[in-house]
Amino acid sequence: MAKDMKVKDYVAQMQSGRSFVKAKMDSAGIGKVHLSFVEHSGRPKCEQVAAIEGYLNFEGAGSVSQLYYLVMSRDIRKKYANSVKTARETGSKYPNAIWDSNGGSSEKRDANGNVIKPCRYYAVQVSPGSKSDIVLQVMEGEGEVTETGGYMLKKGATVKRINVPFTFLDFCAFVVDIHDAVAAYKSVHAQLGYTGSEINEFTPYKPRNAVQQEPMNTTATMPQAMPQTPVPAPVATQQNAEKLSVVFVMYDSLGKTMQVTDSAQNVMTMFGKMRKALYKNTPEHYALVNDKYTLEAVQSALYSGAPTIPTCRFLSEKQDKECYVCVRRVEVTRYES
């Protein structure tokens, strides 16, 4: 039962017979999406065989933004066809990757100068599949730092790989879900008042006016409602038209979780799980105040399209601490050719 109450820790996922990948926002504080790849033995036991962690920057080369454009501009189809054609003409067993992103981490040493963690190189690639439309692959091995400060695979290093197959449709949905989560994250930061370098650095998410484990008799105040500022409509062109979509962002003032969905109906399901988690998974056992009235008010605002959605107040079991759950509408831009 406790397992069912656990809040979902990913924003997109894909599973196959012997592997899966989950996209998580636990590295959003440093401007990255975390891709967690796992290879397993398959049913019935599904025992883990290997795991590799990869990361995509929000913006720039090899980023979520670039991958999203690749999918929504349909360049992925053209590059797919060109890669398959080149492999056929040259007799290559595997087509070349049509998109890639790489990174790494520097080695770590102890106080005596001994290496306790070697330099790591990883790469995330999108390639045509042999038994599926697309394969999302992650590879890692011992790396070394380049002259420009980047990372490259060390010559002769052992390489580990995990592949996750996708259909074109599933891959597009996977990328769009990640893009929407990133867009919501950045919009939430902007609307909470983060500016300048704080936005660029993607400081760890924490509502500015949230109550953080403080007694009720302090001067703590309720989180201010985010201004529901409409995003200016983009200008459409013959080749590329932008469309705005609305997603709902739910987060708690304790900074424990943030969830994103594009369905008002899913908001109530997410709220129910978060409500149970705040009670069961915190030592304070937070409970919703005026639960019947609050739930009706939130549901009414969601389905009526009201400009603001009520913020929900939770009290600890001893009634000496409080926290809040906030739901906000965020407009995100999607591109269509």
Side-chain angles (χ1 to χ4, degrees), residues 152-296:
M152 62 181 292
L153 188 66
K154 189 174 183 179
K155 188 175 181 180
T158 302
V159 175
K160 296 192 301 182
R161 292 183 173 86
I162 296 178
N163 297 329
V164 181
F166 286 80
T167 64
F168 275 119
L169 183 61
D170 286 340
F171 186 70
C172 289
F174 180 77
V175 173
V176 168
D177 284 345
I178 296 174
H179 168 269
D180 285 357
V182 170
Y185 180 88
K186 292 192 288 186
S187 296
V188 166
H189 272 67
Q191 293 191 42
L192 281 171
Y194 290 91
T195 57
S197 62
E198 290 182 324
I199 286 264
N200 295 332
E201 294 171 5
F202 294 99
T203 51
Y205 176 78
K206 183 183 292 185
R208 285 289 175 94
N209 295 324
V211 177
Q212 294 289 339
Q213 305 292 324
E214 296 179 1
M216 285 289 291
N217 58 2
T218 65
T219 57
T221 57
M222 190 172 180
Q224 296 179 356
M226 293 184 189
Q228 305 293 315
T229 307
V231 178
V235 179
T237 66
Q238 292 182 352
Q239 295 181 344
N240 207 14
E242 298 180 357
K243 289 190 176 182
L244 292 177
S245 299
V246 174
V247 297
F248 297 92
V249 184
M250 178 181 291
Y251 59 93
D252 66 80
S253 63
L254 299 178
K256 290 184 176 297
T257 187
M258 182 186 80
Q259 298 192 62
V260 181
T261 180
D262 59 1
S263 166
Q265 184 176 356
N266 287 346
V267 170
M268 299 310 298
T269 302
M270 287 161 45
F271 186 88
K273 291 182 178 180
M274 189 177 291
R275 180 183 176 184
K276 292 177 181 178
L278 285 172
Y279 184 81
K280 299 289 288 188
N281 300 339
T282 61
E284 293 81 9
H285 300 299
Y286 289 100
L288 180 63
V289 178
N290 297 328
D291 54 351
K292 183 177 180 181
Y293 171 79
T294 302
L295 289 173
E296 289 178 352

Side-chain angles (χ1 to χ4, degrees), residues 50 71 76 81 90 101 153 178 184 289 303:
V71 167
I76 188 171
T90 59
S101 176
L153 188 66
I178 296 174
V289 178
Y303 290 106

Side-chain angles (χ1 to χ4, degrees), residues 116-137:
I116 57 176
K117 188 176 180 180
C119 179
R120 173 178 175 262
Y121 171 84
Y122 67 83
V124 178
Q125 296 182 332
V126 178
S127 304
S130 57
K131 297 182 180 179
S132 62
D133 295 332
I134 292 293
V135 169
L136 183 63
Q137 180 189 89

